[in-house]
Amino acid sequence: QPRNRNSPPCISGWIPWFGAAFQFGKAPLEFIEQARVKYGPVFTVFALGNRFTFVTEEEGIEAFFTSKDLDFEQAVQPTIQRTIKASIPADIFYRNHTRLYLTIKGKVSLSRLYLFAGTLCKELHEHMDHLGTSGTENLSDLIRSVMYPATINILFGKGVCPTNKSDMKEFEGHFQKYDEDFEYASQMPAYFMSNWSKSKKWLLKMFENVVSDAERVSRPESDSKTVLQHLLDNVHGKHLAPNYALLLLWASQANAMPVAFWTLAFILSHPSIYKNIMEDIVSVFGKAGKENIEVSEDDLKKLLLIKWCILEAIRLRSPGAITKKVVNPLKIQTFTIPAGDMLMVSPYWAHRNTKYFPDPETFKPDRWKEANLEKNAFLDGFMAFGRGKHQCPGRWLAVMEVHMLVVLLLYKYELILLDPVPKESPLHLVGTQQPMGACRVQYKPRQ
Ligand code: HEM
C-alpha cells in the first residue's frame, strides 16, 4: 500500500519479503551505524516481512521510552511465542507477562538483595574451588563454570537444575546453543533451526522435571521461596511453567555472563586500574591468604571502583537493540512512523553519543564518579537495561553477581591475560555483546 510521504527512508534490499535481511543479518550492529550515516537519524529496515524503524537521536529515543503510542508487550509477544513454544493464546500471554514481570521485579529488587548475598558468596566459593590453585583457561569458560551454577542455584534453588560437573556440561552445551541462536530463532520459522529446536526441547524437558519436582515438595514461607517457586505460584496455566522457567533462565544468564567477561577483560588489560582495584581489595579484606572470605553487601559498597568498571563494561557492550511496537502513528522529527512498525533503539550506539559520553570508545570507569549510585541512578544517556516501566527487573542482581565474582576471583588469584582482549562479535543485536573468539587467562595464587 502507498506509504505516507512523511515515512522515514526505507532500506529494503532487492529481494521482496526477504528485503534487507541478508545485509542486516550478517553484521546488524554495523549495519545500523552505516544506515544512520547514509540515511539520517530515523530510518526503516525492511527484512523478512517486517519493518524495523530505528531512532538514533534524542527526540526519538525519548519517545521510545515515554510515548503511549508504543507497546512493549506486543513487540515481545511474537519473539516469546517463537522462542519458547508455538502458541500461548494472546490474552493469557498478556496476563502472564504483567504478573510474572511484577513477581520477578518484586523478588529480586534492591531491597531484597541481602537475601541473596550470603548464599551467592558461598555458591561462588564452592564452584571456584573446582578451579584448583592454578591453571590456564579460556576466560569465558572460567567465568561460566563458576557463575553459571552459582546464579542458577540462587534463583532456582540448590540442586534443582543439574549443576554437578558432568550434567552441567550437557546442560551448558544446550544452553549455549539456545542462547547463540536465540535471536535468529525469534525471526525464523522452526525448520531453519533444527539444532536450536533440539536444544530448546532438551531444556524444556529438563524444566518439566524441575517444575514437577518443585510442585511435589512442600512450599516454604514466602521469604525462603526461590524465584522459581514464586514464578510457579503466579503463572496462569500450569503447563506453561516450564516455558517461563526457560525464559527466566535465559534472561538471567545470557547478559550477565558476557558482562562478567568484559569487566574482567577490561580490568586485566588496564594495569593501573587492576592495581588500584587490588589496593581497594587489600584495604577491605587484608592481604592474600585467608580461605573463603565472606563478602557482604556493605563490603561491596566500599569497592566502588569495581562497580564503576562493571557499569563501564556494560555501557561499552550493551544490547544492540531494544524494541517496541508502534500501535498508533507516531511523529518523530519530520517523520510519521506508521502503526505496525517495530520501533528500535540501540543502547550500544546510544552509549557512543559524545554529548553524554566523551571519548566514548575508551574504557573509563572514572566517568561513573558523576553518577548518583547512592540513589541507584545511572549516568544520563545510559540505557543498557531499558528505561521506565519495562526496565530490566534483574539489573541490580546482575551488578551484584558480577561484583561479587570479580572480588572473589581477584582476591584469590593473580590473573594474567594471555591473549589480546577480543573484539565484540558483529552478529548480535539482541542482548549484550559476545566476545569474538577466545581469550585465555592464566591464574595462580595471589602473593
Ligand atoms: C548485565 C546484565 C543484564 C542486562 C544488560 C539486562 C538487560 C535487559 C534489557 C535491555 C531488558 C529489556 C528491557 C526493554 O526492552 O525495555 C531486560 C529484560 C529483562 N531482564 Fe534483564 N538484563 C540483565 C540481567 C538480568 C538478570 C540477572 C535477570 C534475572 C532475574 C534479568 C531478568 C530480566 C527479565 C525477567 C526481563 C523481562 C522484563 C519484561 O519482560 O518486561 N535480567 N533485561
Side-chain angles (χ1 to χ4, degrees):
Q1 81 248 33
R3 289 266 161 214
N4 187 318
R5 265 188 301 137
N6 296 330
S7 288
C10 182
I11 309 161
S12 56
W14 62 93
I15 312 168
W17 187 73
F18 197 67
F22 184 65
Q23 301 113 289
F24 187 53
K26 261 200 312 200
L29 262 185
E30 286 162 23
F31 186 94
I32 296 171
E33 179 59 7
Q34 286 159 4
R36 185 190 67 81
V37 171
K38 191 158 169 201
Y39 296 95
V42 184
F43 56 88
T44 301
V45 179
F46 180 75
L48 297 174
N50 294 310
R51 287 171 48 91
F52 302 95
T53 296
F54 285 84
V55 285
T56 63
E57 278 182 358
E58 275 164 318
E59 185 187 331
I61 292 175
E62 192 53 35
F64 180 91
F65 288 118
T66 55
S67 169
K68 298 214 162 43
D69 297 323
L70 301 171
D71 190 280
F72 173 81
E73 278 147 351
Q74 285 190 40
V76 294
Q77 191 224 7
T79 304
I80 291 183
Q81 298 277 22
R82 289 198 197 92
T83 45
I84 58 179
K85 202 170 182 173
S87 63
I88 304 174
D91 57 326
I92 295 189
F93 171 84
Y94 292 122
R95 199 168 347 150
N96 266 329
H97 188 265
T98 310
R99 275 166 66 140
L100 296 179
Y101 175 76
L102 292 175
T103 303
I104 292 170
K105 186 172 158 182
K107 297 311 157 195
V108 300
S109 65
L110 258 175
S111 62
R112 288 174 50 97
L113 285 191
Y114 74 96
L115 290 168
F116 296 100
T119 331
L120 177 63
C121 184
K122 266 203 214 90
E123 283 283 336
L124 290 169
H125 274 305
E126 185 184 324
H127 297 286
M128 243 167 69
D129 284 346
H130 298 305
L131 296 176
T133 50
S134 55
T136 297
E137 176 82 85
N138 181 14
L139 182 58
S140 288
D141 294 339
L142 182 150
I143 289 169
R144 197 176 310 112
S145 73
V146 177
M147 209 170 151
Y148 198 73
T151 53
I152 284 178
N153 282 343
I154 67 162
L155 287 176
F156 291 85
K158 187 152 181 76
V160 166
C161 296
T163 50
N164 74 45
K165 232 180 160 173
S166 62
D167 293 347
M168 197 61 204
K169 271 237 143 17
E170 191 178 8
F171 180 30
E172 270 178 26
H174 285 294
F175 181 77
Q176 242 176 317
K177 187 82 208 124
Y178 180 78
D179 180 28
E180 269 165 27
D181 289 337
F182 190 87
E183 65 189 279
Y184 307 110
S186 67
Q187 302 298 334
M188 303 278 178
Y191 53 82
F192 286 139
M193 304 291 310
S194 61
N195 273 336
W196 188 78
S197 295
K198 238 188 275 159
S199 288
K200 179 177 79 170
K201 282 207 189 96
W202 190 94
L203 290 164
L204 275 177
K205 186 88 210 136
M206 185 208 79
F207 273 115
E208 276 162 25
N209 296 331
V210 165
V211 167
S212 71
D213 287 351
E215 299 272 86
R216 244 179 289 136
V217 297
S218 64
R219 297 294 177 81
E221 285 311 300
S222 185
D223 260 5
S224 45
K225 273 187 193 171
T226 61
V227 177
L228 173 70
Q229 285 164 334
H230 285 293
L231 188 143
L232 297 183
D233 287 350
N234 284 286
V235 67
H236 184 86
K238 289 281 175 240
H239 65 292
L240 297 173
N243 299 304
Y244 282 105
L246 176 54
L247 271 184
L248 175 63
L249 174 77
W250 186 80
S252 66
Q253 304 299 314
N255 292 314
M257 219 84 61
V259 164
F261 169 86
W262 294 115
T263 304
L264 276 163
F266 285 134
I267 292 173
L268 300 178
S269 60
H270 291 76
S272 66
I273 295 176
Y274 188 12
K275 182 168 163 280
N276 289 341
I277 284 179
M278 291 319 297
E279 283 168 12
D280 286 355
I281 288 183
V282 169
S283 80
V284 177
F285 300 107
K287 294 231 173 300
K290 260 181 274 167
E291 286 287 289
N292 300 358
I293 47 166
E294 253 181 62
V295 181
S296 66
E297 261 194 302
D298 278 342
D299 294 327
L300 294 181
K301 285 194 184 122
K302 294 180 210 148
L303 298 164
L304 207 53
L305 176 55
I306 301 179
K307 191 167 183 172
W308 294 349
C309 289
I310 297 167
L311 293 168
E312 183 67 349
I314 296 176
R315 178 187 73 82
L316 281 166
R317 295 293 177 267
S318 36
I322 49 181
T323 313
K324 284 185 179 172
K325 185 152 185 174
V326 181
V327 288
N328 296 307
L330 178 71
K331 260 201 85 144
I332 288 171
Q333 296 174 350
T334 56
F335 301 113
T336 304
I337 298 168
D341 275 20
M342 303 298 275
L343 196 69
M344 317 286 284
V345 156
S346 171
Y348 180 92
W349 288 113
H351 290 167
R352 282 153 175 77
N353 180 344
T354 49
K355 174 173 163 197
Y356 295 107
F357 306 102
D359 195 4
E361 287 296 345
T362 309
F363 178 74
K364 272 194 188 163
D366 277 6
R367 66 173 98 234
W368 286 88
K369 244 184 216 152
E370 307 299 322
N372 193 347
L373 292 175
E374 298 263 298
K375 293 250 161 74
N376 303 303
F378 299 118
L379 286 175
D380 288 347
F382 179 84
M383 58 190 82
F385 298 105
R387 263 195 215 156
K389 196 169 148 216
H390 296 285
Q391 199 175 15
C392 170
R395 62 197 181 282
W396 295 113
L397 176 66
V399 171
M400 182 174 85
E401 285 170 3
V402 179
H403 206 164
M404 209 169 268
L405 173 84
V406 170
V407 171
L408 294 181
L409 275 177
L410 295 187
Y411 177 81
K412 186 166 174 182
Y413 298 112
E414 183 185 336
L415 298 173
I416 301 160
L417 287 187
L418 301 179
D419 297 312
V421 177
K423 289 213 169 337
E424 58 267 53
S425 152
L427 286 173
H428 294 269
L429 208 51
V430 179
T432 47
Q433 304 309 308
Q434 314 266 344
M436 183 163 65
C439 178
R440 287 164 311 142
V441 66
Q442 184 190 359
Y443 57 96
K444 52 190 184 193
R446 190 161 66 84
Q447 297 303 319

